[in-house]
């Protein structure tokens, strides 16, 4: 799997502080969410956005949301997207076909009661 800092055009972190800074660039908290399933498809039209979404956000999601369960499903063909299971039992599916990673994160934050927090850590 492609590492999220490569997608952000950051060099490979050589120290923990540099890795932490990369995680802080993608600081996202998910509230009232029990499980998120990333569904990607290898073949088909317009499926790249869901793969880029997984590459960009899966590691930071896991880092900042230790109480949320994460799952990855790879399909040969089918409907890519993100499935969100809330604490109250409701399930939301966000179709990923034809969408970019930025469009998907906007919808995921809306459905999962999430919040992206901007953190600026200066270089030292």
């Amino acid at each position: 799997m492609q590492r999220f800092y490569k997608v952000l055009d950051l060099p490979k972190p050589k120290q923990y502080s540099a890795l932490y800074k990369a995680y802080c660039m993608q600081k996202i908290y998910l509230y009232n969410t029990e499980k998120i399933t990333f569904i990607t498809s290898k073949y088909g039209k317009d499926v790249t956005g869901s793969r880029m979404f997984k590459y960009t956000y899966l590691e930071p999601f896991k880092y900042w949301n230790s109480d949320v369960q994460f799952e990855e499903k790879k399909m040969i063909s089918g409907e890519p997207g993100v499935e969100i299971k809330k604490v109250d039992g409701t399930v939301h599916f966000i179709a990923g076909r034809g969408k970019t990673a930025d469009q998907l994160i906007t919808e995921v934050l809306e459905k999962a009661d999430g919040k992206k927090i901007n953190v600026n850590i200066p270089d030292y």
Side-chain angles (χ1 to χ4, degrees):
M1 180 172 83
Q2 188 173 2
R3 300 302 300 257
F4 78 101
Y5 48 81
K6 291 279 188 192
V7 176
L8 296 172
D9 291 327
L10 298 173
K12 182 177 180 180
K14 294 188 172 89
Q15 297 175 343
Y16 178 75
S17 60
L19 181 61
Y20 182 71
K21 182 175 180 176
Y23 276 116
C24 285
M25 292 177 72
Q26 297 293 349
K27 189 172 188 177
I28 299 171
Y29 287 123
L30 303 172
Y31 303 102
N32 301 322
T33 304
E34 184 178 318
K35 181 179 179 182
I36 293 189
T37 305
F38 292 82
I39 304 167
T40 57
S41 177
K42 188 168 183 160
Y43 300 108
K45 187 176 180 185
D46 297 329
V47 296
T48 307
S50 61
R51 278 198 309 270
M52 292 306 293
F53 177 74
K54 182 182 88 170
Y55 297 151
T56 308
Y57 294 105
L58 179 60
E59 286 183 69
F61 274 168
K62 285 182 179 179
Y63 185 81
W64 295 111
N65 300 283
S66 61
D67 58 335
V68 178
Q69 196 178 29
F70 294 95
E71 184 180 354
E72 297 176 65
K73 287 186 181 177
K74 292 182 184 181
M75 303 183 325
I76 293 175
S77 63
E79 184 65 31
V82 181
E83 186 178 274
I84 301 166
K85 183 177 180 187
K86 305 280 289 193
V87 174
D88 62 3
T90 58
V91 177
H92 301 283
F93 180 75
I94 300 168
R97 192 173 302 278
K99 294 181 183 171
T100 65
D102 293 332
Q103 292 170 330
L104 282 171
I105 190 63
T106 303
E107 290 186 42
V108 166
L109 291 177
E110 181 181 305
K111 298 286 186 193
D113 300 328
K115 184 175 181 180
K116 188 169 187 174
I117 299 167
N118 294 325
V119 177
N120 187 11
I121 298 177
D123 293 326
Y124 44 109

